Structures are given as structure tokens and as C-alpha cells.
Amino acid sequence: MRNKKIIYQNAVTVNQEQWFWSENYNALYKRNLNNGVIHRMSPYERSKTAAYTKLVFYKNKLIALPYAANQIMIYDIQNEEIRYSDIGIQNMNYDNNVEKFYGIAVKDNWLFMIGCKTAHVLKFDMEAELAADYVDLHTELIPKENGIGYLRDGIVLEEKIIIPGLYENSIFEINITDLEYEKIHIDKNGLGFSTIFKAQDEVWLFPFDEGEILQWNRQKNTIRRHCIEHLMAFKKGARNFLSAQQCRDKLWIIPRYGSRILSYDFIENQFSNQNAVNRYFDSINKEVFGIADEKIGQDIIFLAEQIDELIVFCAEKDEVRVVNNDMQGADHLEFLKNEEKKLVVFEHEMLLSDYLDFLCRI
């Protein structure tokens, strides 16, 4: 038996407690960022894939986007209670669609859940904890055989939700109130977009596969094109960018399968691949491949594919430190027991106190 790192798609931090849904252990967790201690806060879900993906914090509760699950989960932090709400999309094949929602966009009490292997965008009232409406974009998008879905991320811009196509050079502008939408073609090299970000009232669009980064001034309808192939290597046929975060006068661009974390200096109007995160991964001879990231103050907490620990990147000081990201020993044993797997424990792999803690739970 070996403790494995916890994998999640996003995290939200409230009062130095970081919350996330573990996709590999299928449970809700919180991590104390002061001491690094991790606690499981929900029962395990029995699912072959992740029951939920991302979390959204709203008025002392967490809203979990369903992935394999057939209901939306609401976790009441104060009362440590779980509630559920129906998705409310009549034409969705619930049992066969195990990759439902991934992207999020939030405006006031409205949470917009953006489809993954569904082209639906669901409008959810976080105050009432009820699905309010949805829009179906299937007829506007061409499915890709063996692809990873239709959509990924979105942003709020004034009274619109802006969502790019994953494999197409088009974006959707969806009215927040009535979900009426317009499809807009974007002229670019390569096909599709990895992700989208709003910075200084401009929309940044990051390519799927390869091509330029686009800086779109929507009001002026002008696009600046940035070629960054000399700064990073692209993986052909893959989602190369995960997300972006703004720390003061710099935009930090986080890769999924791209090879480097990049920064863009808004004052100098210049890209760079020189930073402590890239140097750290070079020093351990690992790829950067990102899974999830979260901005806390001027720090970016970064979960990567090829290392077990969390990276905490202080953008201002250009420094990194690592944080433990392993499930506790007793909890891992309980997970294996729940999965009805054989428990083989070696003395050097677990503290006696953790093993005794597990036995006391049985």
C-alpha cells in the first residue's frame, strides 16, 4: 500500500481552509493551509469516475458541479450537512453522460455550469439552490470523435457569459438574464480554444492544440495576436493551456499540456518563461503539466500531474515552496476498504497511530 496524492479540478479557500472534491478518491476534502493537515468531509461516492468536478463558494456553502453524479451537491460548511438539487435538464441522458459539467461562471447569486461532454450551459440559483434555466448548444457545435467534449471554461463580461468552443474557432455570447445567445467566429490559426480569461476589460483566448494567444478588446473589436512558440513547446492535439491568473501587473498563464508557465507583463507588453516554477520543474526533470490552480492573494497554488506535492508560487518574490498533498494513512485504508480492495500495509509506509486510528473506525 502506498499513500497517493489527491487530485482535484479546482479548490476554493475560506479562512485558510482549502476545499476541493477529490476526483481519484471521490470525496470532499479540506486542507488547513497553516499546517497542511487534510480532512475528509463527506462519505465516499461509489463511481467509476469523479462524481463532481469544481466547487463554488457562496454564503458559507459549497456548490459542487456534477460530473458522473446525477444531482448537484450543496455542502453547508457551518452545519457540515450535504444537500442535493436536481439538474433539471430534461433531454440530458443522465446515466450515460458521466462527464457533465466542468466550467464555471458566476454573477451575483447565479452560477453558470458549463458542459464538458454535453453542450448544455445550466443556470443555477445558489440562493434558492435550484436550477433556473439552461441553454442547449449541441446544434451549434460539431462533435469530435474521441474528443474530450464541446466546451470547457467561460467568463462573465458585463451582462454576458463568454464561452469559447473547444474544437472550433467560435465563441458564444450568452445573455445572463434570458440565455439568448450569439455565435461569433474568431479568425485564428489552428482550431479551438483551451481556456479563456478576463484581464483589464479584455478577453484573452488561449489556443487548443497550437497557435497564437489572442488578446481581444471586445468594445473596440480589435485583436492582438501573440506568438509564443519560442517560449514553450505545444503538445499536438491536446489542450495546452489550463487557465490564467492575474497578480498585479502580470498575467500568469498556466499550462495543461504545454511545457512552461508563462507570464505577460502588462506594463512592458512582454511575455517571459523565466520564473521559479519552471526552474523548479527543470531541477527535478519533470514536465509542468497542470491539473488545477488557485490564486490566494498574490500566491498561486498549483497542482501538477507529475509530482505528488502542491506547488505554492509567490509571484511577487518569484519563489516556490511545496506542500504535502497525500491522503492521511487511516483515510487511505478506509478508502481501500470501501472499494473492497485487499489491505496490504508495510511498516515503513504508515505510522502505527494512523493504522490504529483506522482500526478504531471499523
Side-chain angles (χ1 to χ4, degrees):
M1 190 209 79
R2 179 182 177 272
N3 288 0
K4 295 181 180 179
K5 74 173 181 181
I6 295 177
I7 299 172
Y8 54 85
Q9 293 298 325
N10 86 324
V12 294
T13 296
V14 184
N15 298 326
Q16 287 300 299
E17 288 182 332
Q18 186 190 43
W19 296 82
F20 45 87
W21 181 271
S22 168
E23 70 172 38
N24 54 334
Y25 290 114
N26 253 328
L28 179 68
Y29 286 84
K30 72 174 179 180
R31 183 197 329 266
N32 186 314
L33 290 176
N34 293 320
N35 57 28
V37 175
I38 300 171
H39 291 288
R40 179 167 56 88
M41 302 302 293
S42 76
Y44 296 113
E45 291 281 344
R46 299 299 293 267
S47 174
K48 292 182 180 179
T49 59
Y52 300 94
T53 49
K54 294 185 176 180
L55 302 178
V56 175
F57 176 74
Y58 179 80
K59 290 188 177 180
N60 214 36
K61 56 189 177 185
L62 301 166
I63 317 296
L65 275 63
Y67 196 59
N70 288 332
Q71 288 184 304
I72 298 159
M73 187 185 83
I74 300 102
Y75 182 81
D76 187 315
I77 294 176
Q78 183 173 354
N79 298 318
E80 296 187 356
E81 293 177 350
I82 295 176
R83 299 186 289 271
Y84 297 94
S85 182
D86 290 338
I87 295 172
I89 299 178
Q90 295 179 358
N91 62 341
M92 178 181 283
N93 189 335
Y94 284 87
D95 293 330
N96 291 332
N97 190 342
V98 295
E99 299 179 44
K100 296 180 180 70
F101 295 104
Y102 175 88
I104 55 177
V106 175
K107 174 75 170 181
D108 302 324
N109 61 304
W110 299 113
L111 165 60
F112 295 86
M113 303 184 188
I114 299 167
C116 180
K117 285 194 174 177
T118 177
H120 294 95
V121 178
L122 176 67
K123 182 178 181 179
F124 184 76
D125 187 338
M126 295 186 288
E127 188 71 42
E129 299 178 7
L130 292 171
D133 202 355
Y134 67 89
V135 60
D136 186 350
L137 300 175
H138 279 94
T139 58
E140 301 285 357
L141 293 163
I142 301 171
K144 183 179 175 66
E145 187 176 355
N146 300 320
I148 62 172
Y150 294 94
L151 308 165
R152 268 300 183 272
D153 294 314
I155 60 168
V156 174
L157 192 62
E158 298 167 352
E159 297 303 314
K160 304 274 189 179
I161 306 296
I162 313 295
I163 303 173
L166 194 62
Y167 291 114
E168 297 182 33
N169 292 347
S170 58
I171 62 169
F172 296 92
E173 289 194 358
I174 304 175
N175 187 288
I176 285 175
T177 304
D178 58 16
L179 300 189
E180 293 290 323
Y181 67 87
E182 179 184 3
K183 185 178 181 180
I184 300 172
H185 177 77
I186 302 289
D187 185 27
K188 63 179 283 291
N189 294 329
L191 287 176
F193 298 98
S194 285
T195 190
I196 185 172
F197 188 77
K198 180 179 70 174
Q200 299 182 342
D201 296 323
E202 292 186 313
V203 178
W204 288 70
L205 292 157
F206 301 93
F208 190 95
D209 195 11
E210 58 189 359
E212 308 129 320
I213 293 174
L214 305 184
Q215 184 182 357
W216 177 35
N217 187 310
R218 182 168 163 271
Q219 288 186 336
K220 298 178 181 178
N221 197 27
T222 59
I223 293 177
R224 292 185 63 191
R225 302 171 185 275
H226 303 283
C227 179
I228 44 82
E229 292 182 351
H230 61 294
L231 297 174
M232 62 174 284
F234 286 89
K235 182 178 179 181
K236 186 68 177 172
R239 186 182 179 218
N240 280 286
F241 296 96
L242 177 71
S243 65
Q245 301 287 356
Q246 185 173 355
C247 296
R248 304 199 193 283
D249 293 322
K250 284 189 178 180
L251 181 66
W252 292 93
I253 301 163
I254 315 296
R256 178 63 183 105
Y257 287 112
S259 65
R260 304 270 90 176
I261 282 184
L262 304 180
S263 64
Y264 179 78
D265 190 313
F266 287 106
I267 297 174
E268 301 294 333
N269 294 319
Q270 186 173 348
F271 285 89
S272 173
N273 61 7
Q274 299 301 307
N275 56 71
V277 181
N278 290 338
R279 290 193 295 272
Y280 174 78
F281 278 90
D282 286 344
S283 72
I284 60 174
N285 197 28
K286 298 285 186 182
E287 299 284 353
V288 181
F289 300 166
I291 299 175
D293 65 289
E294 179 192 11
K295 179 179 171 239
I296 304 176
Q298 299 306 308
D299 291 348
I300 297 173
I301 299 182
F302 181 59
L303 176 65
E305 186 173 300
Q306 295 194 358
I307 64 171
D308 292 339
E309 300 82 10
L310 277 182
I311 295 287
V312 180
F313 172 50
C314 177
E316 286 189 314
K317 297 180 180 179
D318 193 31
E319 296 175 351
V320 300
R321 61 183 175 89
V322 295
V323 175
N324 176 58
N325 189 40
D326 281 345
M327 175 187 281
Q328 290 182 334
D331 203 33
H332 192 209
L333 286 174
E334 191 169 334
F335 168 78
L336 294 175
K337 177 177 177 292
N338 183 67
E339 293 289 299
E340 298 178 351
K341 295 180 179 180
K342 280 188 177 181
L343 300 181
V344 180
V345 183
F346 296 96
E347 184 178 358
H348 67 276
E349 290 183 329
M350 178 170 288
L351 296 173
L352 177 60
S353 58
D354 284 342
Y355 184 66
L356 294 175
D357 182 22
F358 164 70
L359 293 178
C360 290
R361 299 182 191 181
I362 298 176

